[in-house]
Amino acid sequence: VVELFTSQGCSSCPPANAFLNELSKQPSDVLALAFHVTYWDYLGWKDPFSLTVATDRQAQYGRRFGDGSYTPEIVVDGAAGLVGSYRDEVNSVIAKARAQNLTAAEVSLVARDGKASIDIGAGIGGVRVMLVGFDREHVTAIGRGENRGRTMAEANIVRSFRAVGQWNGTPVHLEEKLPDGEQVA
């Protein structure tokens, strides 16, 4: 999982957004998600996709990594935070995550009739199960702020993010209402 913490109000974010857009369109094992934070909203442009839950999630990472919150930040598999526009470094960390192959269990998700049916197999470990809803792409004309006059195409924009259960190594089945967003993971 590659999480980009970004904002339409941040002038340093467009290169990282473009990188995440590329990651999201490549056939691969990477789930690339754009979490739009709220702390840039005061500079003249309120990002229409900013979510308090994104800001809170990044603050948790900032405490864990000891580097605070900044944009653009990419977090890979919840284990490493990097400047989101440093492509070579991010690609290196993604490659390392692939090589470690720390997948705890097989997960399947089926969206049907307004519900998400989630099955997680047996494995080792214990985690909180998160359900994320996201939109594949939006194009926004920025009217004010640091990116005024730009048109930004952004991919995999998180629209909702919530805990739906726990997994402790034994198989589990969860049924949940679909989250906001065009896609679900």
Side-chain angles (χ1 to χ4, degrees):
V1 176
V2 174
E3 300 169 79
L4 170 64
F5 294 92
T6 186
S7 175
Q8 291 179 348
C10 162
S11 64
S12 299
C13 289
N17 292 338
F19 180 39
L20 190 90
N21 291 355
E22 292 170 23
L23 286 173
S24 74
K25 289 172 179 45
Q26 296 172 3
S28 77
D29 56 349
V30 172
L31 175 60
L33 297 169
F35 283 84
H36 288 237
V37 297
T38 59
Y39 54 84
W40 281 95
D41 287 353
Y42 75 95
L43 287 177
W45 179 257
K46 179 173 181 343
D47 187 326
F49 306 112
S50 64
L51 298 171
T52 300
V53 70
T55 304
D56 294 345
R57 184 163 178 80
Q58 187 185 31
Q60 290 173 349
Y61 283 135
R63 287 188 295 277
R64 182 187 308 164
F65 302 144
D67 60 1
S69 295
Y70 61 91
T71 54
E73 179 182 21
I74 280 184
V75 175
V76 178
D77 276 354
L82 307 111
V83 175
S85 55
Y86 291 2
R87 290 172 177 248
D88 291 342
E89 290 178 25
V90 172
N91 282 327
S92 176
V93 172
I94 291 170
K96 182 179 175 186
R98 277 190 182 114
Q100 289 176 338
N101 193 19
L102 296 178
T103 300
E106 292 295 318
V107 178
S108 72
L109 185 148
V110 176
R112 182 177 338 132
D113 301 325
K115 293 196 179 221
S117 178
I118 305 162
D119 287 291
I120 305 172
I124 298 172
V127 296
R128 188 170 34 154
V129 180
M130 306 302 291
L131 187 63
V132 61
F134 60 97
D135 291 349
R136 281 287 179 201
E137 184 175 54
H138 284 281
V139 177
T140 307
I142 309 300
R144 294 185 308 278
E146 290 187 356
N147 288 315
R148 177 183 57 245
R150 292 183 92 153
T151 298
M152 297 178 70
E154 298 167 292
N156 289 12
I157 301 168
V158 173
R159 303 308 303 272
S160 59
F161 186 80
R162 70 178 191 267
V164 295
Q166 290 290 128
W167 175 80
N168 62 9
T170 58
V172 67
H173 175 79
L174 301 166
E175 291 279 334
E176 289 290 325
K177 180 179 179 254
L178 282 176
D180 293 337
E182 301 164 348
Q183 302 288 315
V184 62

